[in-house]
Amino acid sequence: MKMSPKVESFVYHFGEMGSKWGFNRTVGQIYALLVVSDQSLNANQIGEALSISRGNVSMGIKELQSWQLINLKHIPGDRKEYYSPKGTIWEMANRVFEERRKREVDPTLTLLRNLQLDEANDDAEVYAQGKMREIHDLLETITQWSAELQRLDPAKLHTLMKLGAGISKVLSIKDQFIKPKKDSNKDS
Amino acid sequence: MKMSPKVESFVYHFGEMGSKWGFNRTVGQIYALLVVSDQSLNANQIGEALSISRGNVSMGIKELQSWQLINLKHIPGDRKEYYSPKGTIWEMANRVFEERRKREVDPTLTLLRNLQLDEANDDAEVYAQGKMREIHDLLETITQWSAELQRLDPAKLHTLMKLGAGISKVLSIKDQFIKPKKDSNKDS
DNA sequence: TTAAACTTTCAGAAATTACTGAAACTTCAG
DNA sequence: CTGAAGTTTCAGTAATTTCTGAAAGTTTAA
């Protein structure tokens, strides 16, 4: 398993990107390699292509499984396990967002809610709690929207997104239909 | 400068979060501290509150400036510089997205485009280029949408977001208005 | 059962990233 | 100017994260 120069630069670049997106360089490289390979690969092939140890491949695979990003396949007459990316690229992006939400955003929301419950002891704490509430609301809003995005059919959503107008036109249409209720959101 | 227990757990938590969002623990802590403080703080106060060295504070401040996340203020009769967070929380989130786009997504798009330009040498490369194109299109779509989001008035957008319906209703409304053109998107 | 073929685990080593603190630099009042 | 009050830089050190490879574990064909 030798990578072609194109695949190689793709894989190395996505190793670096991966490390900014929640998994380490090697994990990013393994996933990138699987995505651009037209066939499933076994652990030895992966290790050989990326020049990393067998143990490291195994850990990387495990990590990708915890993100639900890969499929495992058995080829008849071969005892090795073969790996391939699960779902489309779009589904992959969704899954990464979703997983990070669970791992990072949810615990933050819990913390912020708990800190709200504590009575403030002085003005400084009142101010701090106000800011924490702003952050809480922002995170919750983003979470809700992204949850709804994920409930849509990916192919349809993709088409809609590419279709043209973009979100500002969408929102202006929404505006004409959904009139703000009188004084129904005192906060913010 | 001693942090209250509430502020302390908030600050430490956001230090950890920060390290998953593109800056290191200390930078996250400094920003979190400034956000919940009702007054601007100078470098000594920050260092004391977080128990970090003067040099580290300086590096953190510099990093936050490169993300355009803080303001600098001079208090008459005091030669120290005082720092406070710039803009609202929502603007902060926008700025972080925007900055990461510039630093991470744009170079990726460039790479992917360059790899497209190279003629494929065999079937495997044709397959790989196809996948790279999918990733390119996904990133570009996300980029466009987020750019449009940022062009909207933040306050209005926030209100709209909290208003109710959510994106799926918005999209179904859009659907009724914008009919797909006949066969106009052969790709995807 | 057994043993060959494969996968996983994990302690220690290597690589990377972050932090300290002293020295260099800057600014400004007198 | 001068020097006191402040900020920044950066070489060396510390902390953290990642990787290796040998040993332990698992699976399956015979």
Side-chain angles (χ1 to χ4, degrees):
Chain A
M1 262 304 295
K2 178 99 168 42
M3 294 186 284
S4 77
K6 278 198 254 317
V7 167
E8 192 174 294
S9 60
F10 173 81
V11 163
Y12 288 156
H13 183 92
F14 270 79
E16 301 310 317
M17 292 301 293
S19 70
K20 316 207 160 183
W21 268 95
F23 19 79
N24 69 34
R25 190 158 12 102
T26 305
V27 171
Q29 289 176 357
I30 295 175
Y31 186 71
L33 177 64
L34 292 175
V35 166
V36 295
S37 297
D38 52 357
Q39 303 173 4
S40 300
L41 302 178
N42 65 41
N44 287 336
Q45 293 173 312
I46 294 170
E48 201 192 329
L50 304 177
S51 312
I52 59 178
S53 74
R54 194 59 192 65
N56 200 6
V57 174
S58 180
M59 284 169 140
I61 295 286
K62 195 178 156 200
E63 175 78 358
L64 286 169
Q65 282 173 326
S66 87
W67 287 82
Q68 309 218 70
L69 289 176
I70 55 176
N71 273 138
L72 188 152
K73 198 192 306 184
H74 283 277
I75 291 185
D78 188 338
R79 275 172 64 181
K80 297 192 195 67
E81 296 188 310
Y82 285 78
Y83 305 96
S84 57
K86 175 183 282 181
T88 63
I89 297 295
W90 175 263
E91 284 164 329
M92 178 281 273
N94 263 344
R95 205 163 279 126
V96 172
F97 278 122
E98 176 63 9
E99 202 64 36
R100 293 194 67 177
R101 201 212 75 212
K102 277 194 218 142
R103 298 179 189 199
E104 297 163 28
V105 178
D106 286 356
T108 302
L109 286 174
T110 302
L111 175 79
L112 290 172
R113 279 194 275 263
N114 288 340
L115 292 175
Q116 290 296 317
L117 294 179
D118 254 32
E119 197 66 42
N121 296 313
D122 53 31
D123 284 359
E125 287 201 357
V126 169
Y127 182 87
Q129 282 189 330
K131 285 296 168 184
M132 291 180 198
R133 182 157 209 285
E134 282 181 42
I135 294 172
H136 173 274
D137 290 353
L138 171 64
L139 287 176
E140 207 168 48
T141 304
I142 292 174
T143 299
Q144 280 171 11
W145 271 61
S146 77
E148 293 195 63
L149 268 180
Q150 287 177 43
R151 240 179 280 122
L152 295 176
D153 168 36
K156 185 182 172 197
L157 181 59
H158 185 222
T159 310
L160 270 175
M161 279 191 162
K162 295 198 75 172
L163 199 55
I167 203 167
S168 57
K169 185 172 285 183
V170 171
L171 285 175
S172 75
I173 293 171
K174 175 176 182 176
D175 225 14
Q176 296 161 17
F177 276 75
I178 304 176
K179 299 273 157 54
K181 299 168 223 149
K182 283 179 206 163
D183 204 27
S184 70
N185 53 333
K186 286 168 185 159
D187 55 33
S188 99
Chain B
M1 261 306 294
K2 178 97 170 42
M3 294 187 284
S4 77
K6 278 198 253 317
V7 168
E8 192 175 293
S9 60
F10 173 80
V11 163
Y12 288 156
H13 183 92
F14 270 79
E16 300 311 317
M17 292 301 293
S19 71
K20 316 207 158 182
W21 269 95
F23 18 78
N24 69 33
R25 189 154 15 100
T26 306
V27 172
Q29 289 176 357
I30 295 175
Y31 186 72
L33 178 63
L34 291 176
V35 165
V36 295
S37 296
D38 53 357
Q39 305 172 5
S40 300
L41 302 178
N42 64 42
N44 287 336
Q45 292 173 313
I46 294 170
E48 202 193 329
L50 303 176
S51 312
I52 59 179
S53 74
R54 194 58 193 65
N56 201 7
V57 173
S58 180
M59 286 168 139
I61 295 286
K62 196 178 154 202
E63 175 78 359
L64 286 170
Q65 281 174 327
S66 87
W67 287 83
Q68 309 217 73
L69 289 177
I70 53 175
N71 272 139
L72 189 150
K73 199 193 306 184
H74 284 277
I75 290 185
D78 187 340
R79 275 172 64 180
K80 298 192 195 67
E81 296 186 312
Y82 285 78
Y83 305 96
S84 56
K86 176 184 281 180
T88 64
I89 297 295
W90 174 263
E91 284 164 330
M92 178 281 273
N94 263 345
R95 205 164 278 127
V96 172
F97 278 122
E98 177 63 10
E99 201 64 35
R100 293 195 66 176
R101 202 212 75 214
K102 277 194 219 145
R103 298 178 187 197
E104 297 163 27
V105 178
D106 287 356
T108 302
L109 287 173
T110 302
L111 175 79
L112 290 172
R113 278 193 276 262
N114 288 340
L115 292 174
Q116 290 295 316
L117 294 180
D118 253 32
E119 198 66 42
N121 297 313
D122 54 31
D123 285 359
E125 287 201 356
V126 170
Y127 181 88
Q129 282 189 330
K131 285 296 169 184
M132 291 180 200
R133 182 157 208 285
E134 283 182 41
I135 293 172
H136 174 273
D137 290 352
L138 171 64
L139 287 176
E140 207 168 47
T141 304
I142 292 174
T143 299
Q144 279 170 11
W145 271 61
S146 75
E148 293 196 62
L149 267 180
Q150 286 176 44
R151 240 179 280 122
L152 295 176
D153 168 37
K156 185 182 172 197
L157 180 60
H158 186 221
T159 310
L160 271 174
M161 280 190 160
K162 294 199 74 173
L163 200 55
I167 203 167
S168 58
K169 185 171 285 180
V170 170
L171 285 174
S172 75
I173 292 170
K174 175 176 181 175
D175 226 13
Q176 295 162 19
F177 276 74
I178 304 175
K179 299 270 156 59
K181 299 169 223 149
K182 283 179 209 163
D183 204 26
S184 70
N185 52 334
K186 284 167 186 159
D187 57 30
S188 98

